[in-house]
Amino acid sequence: MGLFKNRLIVALPLIVIAVIFIFSLAMIPSINPVSHHLPIAIVNEDQGLTASNVNMADTVVSNIQSVTSANSDGEPAMKWIEVGSEEEVKAGLDNQEYYAALVIPEDFSEKQASLMTPDPSSSRVRIYINQGMNASAPSMAEQMLDQAIRGMNEEMRAELLAIFDQQGAAITTKQAAAFASPIVSEVIHANAIGTHSANGNSPVLMFQPLWMASLIANVIFLLVKNKSNSANRNERLRANIVQVFWGAVIALIAGFSFTWFAESWGLHISHFMDTALFLAIAYLAFFLMIAAVFSWIGLKGMVIFVLFLFFGAPLLSFAPELLSPFYRDWILSWLPMRFLVDGLRELFFFRQGLSMNHSTIVLIWIGACGLLVLLASAFKHSRQPEQKQEVEIAHNL
């Protein structure tokens, strides 16, 4: 057949395998996420027993740290951070310093000692889960802390029963009830995600429409600019300036319309104006970045941003501590859409209004660099052969 005389047709199986291989790499972070040095705060306010100079909370802390010390890769699963007070912990949770916190009150040892008396009382600890910080890592921290507490309860229950058995003493109803849970944990959700938030994934869900809108707008701009065939530097500079100003107008339209759509579809938007303006900033940053790349290499640049989409989307829902060093340091750390997701998370779950925080500043810098590169492209040499191909595409449209 004549088709098989074409080299591309013959090489198609290898091309398909290569494409599958490249895009399958995006699956790796989701296959077996394990925690690496997940920051967990711990507050030990236990006063101990003055008579025997014993602090039972120290033993509890040591045991919890040991049972949660390693993940399946043999690395520390949690990074325990000692904090002075519960108030400091709450401030750290609001500043996104910890995914969870364990607070041991001052009467912990006293309550533990009471288990051997006729009037027993279970010790209580408080576990704070920083829900808004990530959709998966806080839940993982909660499970690990819960398992650690349950494991300690089983050990303490066995020890208490063994002591009573050796003494030949009878266990009262109150003691039996206390032995069931020598340590009672109270779980408190800090920066709660609430309802209508896609289980905390709403910031991740919102990046794709904004990203695709900025990409498609730039494709249209590139085709129209090439169709006008501006060979003069001044004409190209004017066209780029018009693109920047029109992009800013579109950014405002995109920000407010997207926020209205999201709220209409049922997503909880606590700060409508701040969210709309932040989305406008993010759209303009992406728009200028894509425009800058297109202005130098044309439609071939679309491959870069499509790959960004496929590789970035699976990573954005994971906390950095759940990723391998390669994906955490070499991909997630510089993904431009990560700053959109982080900024939306602060707006949605941390009750922070629009401000010049880290995410906003980075997006502004991305837009500023894109603006400079886009304007500079007006002074490069004309790409006539490539422009002719893109002009043909524009004519076909």
Side-chain angles (χ1 to χ4, degrees):
M1 292 180 64
L3 284 176
F4 288 98
K5 294 180 181 179
N6 189 298
R7 293 180 180 178
L8 284 177
I9 296 297
V10 175
L12 195 56
L14 294 177
I15 295 173
V16 169
I17 292 173
V19 170
I20 292 175
F21 171 75
I22 291 172
F23 285 96
S24 68
L25 294 176
M27 297 168 51
I28 295 176
S30 307
I31 294 175
N32 184 33
V34 294
S35 62
H36 302 78
H37 305 280
L38 205 67
I40 308 295
I42 187 164
V43 179
N44 184 0
E45 298 179 334
D46 185 24
Q47 299 296 318
L49 298 174
T50 55
S52 57
N53 196 25
V54 173
N55 190 302
M56 296 183 180
D58 290 339
T59 304
V60 171
V61 170
S62 178
N63 289 342
I64 290 179
Q65 290 176 339
S66 63
V67 298
T68 59
S69 60
N71 56 28
S72 58
D73 295 337
E75 298 181 2
M78 292 185 175
K79 178 184 177 182
W80 291 96
I81 302 172
E82 295 185 7
V83 182
S85 68
E86 192 168 357
E87 292 303 317
E88 291 181 39
V89 160
K90 291 178 180 179
L93 293 170
D94 291 339
N95 292 329
Q96 303 184 57
E97 297 174 13
Y98 325 115
Y99 289 99
L102 175 65
V103 179
I104 302 176
E106 58 183 14
D107 61 351
F108 185 87
S109 291
E110 182 182 342
K111 293 287 183 65
Q112 284 288 294
S114 74
L115 294 173
M116 300 297 296
T117 68
D119 188 23
S121 181
S122 298
S123 302
R124 292 186 174 273
V125 296
R126 287 183 291 278
I127 296 176
Y128 286 89
I129 304 300
N130 201 2
Q131 272 195 326
M133 194 169 172
N134 185 261
S136 54
S139 298
M140 183 176 292
E142 181 177 2
Q143 292 175 2
M144 295 173 73
L145 288 172
D146 181 65
Q147 290 175 1
I149 296 295
R150 282 194 282 112
M152 291 199 60
N153 275 332
E154 292 176 3
E155 291 182 10
M156 294 178 68
R157 182 165 52 249
E159 292 175 1
L160 289 167
L161 290 174
I163 293 173
F164 272 79
D165 185 57
Q166 290 176 358
Q167 295 176 351
I171 300 175
T172 65
T173 305
K174 284 186 177 182
Q175 287 173 330
F179 289 1
S181 296
I183 302 175
V184 177
S185 59
E186 176 189 3
V187 177
I188 302 170
H189 290 147
N191 302 304
I193 58 175
T195 59
H196 299 86
S197 66
N199 294 322
N201 279 309
S202 52
V204 178
L205 295 178
M206 293 185 72
F207 106 85
Q208 187 168 329
L210 207 71
W211 183 263
M212 289 303 300
S214 59
L215 180 60
I216 291 172
N218 273 291
V219 170
I220 294 173
F221 256 111
L222 179 64
L223 296 177
V224 172
K225 285 165 65 178
N226 287 341
K227 187 177 180 180
S228 64
N229 199 22
S230 301
N232 186 283
R233 288 182 178 179
N234 291 333
E235 292 179 354
R236 292 201 300 267
L237 181 60
R238 281 196 296 269
N240 288 345
I241 292 174
V242 170
Q243 183 175 359
V244 171
F245 280 103
W246 192 233
V249 173
I250 296 173
L252 288 172
I253 296 173
F256 280 88
S257 62
F258 191 17
T259 306
W260 186 79
F261 288 148
E263 191 172 48
S264 299
W265 305 153
L267 194 68
H268 176 66
I269 305 290
S270 55
H271 304 284
F272 184 93
M273 182 64 69
D274 290 343
T275 302
L277 290 174
F278 179 75
L279 288 175
I281 292 172
Y283 180 93
L284 185 58
F286 297 157
F287 179 88
L288 293 174
M289 176 183 65
I290 297 171
V293 174
F294 278 11
S295 67
W296 285 90
I297 64 176
L299 279 177
K300 294 191 294 291
M302 189 162 60
V303 176
I304 299 173
F305 301 106
V306 170
L307 289 175
F308 270 15
L309 177 64
F310 278 94
F311 280 93
L315 297 179
L316 295 174
S317 59
F318 288 101
E321 292 82 4
L322 300 185
L323 298 173
S324 66
F326 171 77
Y327 280 93
R328 181 183 66 243
D329 300 331
W330 294 98
I331 298 182
L332 180 65
S333 61
W334 53 265
L335 279 177
M337 61 277 285
R338 177 174 73 90
F339 304 102
L340 164 66
V341 172
D342 289 346
L344 287 176
R345 185 171 286 117
E346 292 184 8
L347 282 168
F348 290 170
F349 308 133
F350 290 84
R351 281 66 180 171
Q352 296 183 12
L354 181 64
S355 63
M356 293 299 291
N357 54 24
H358 177 69
S359 299
T360 306
I361 291 173
V362 172
L363 288 172
I364 291 174
W365 272 107
I366 291 173
C369 293
L371 172 63
L372 294 177
V373 175
L374 173 62
L375 295 178
S377 68
F379 301 96
K380 66 182 178 65
H381 293 293
S382 178
R383 301 177 298 108
Q384 292 297 335
E386 295 182 20
Q387 285 181 346
K388 285 181 179 179
Q389 296 178 359
E390 293 166 0
V391 168
E392 291 178 1
I393 296 174
H395 277 300
N396 292 334
L397 294 176

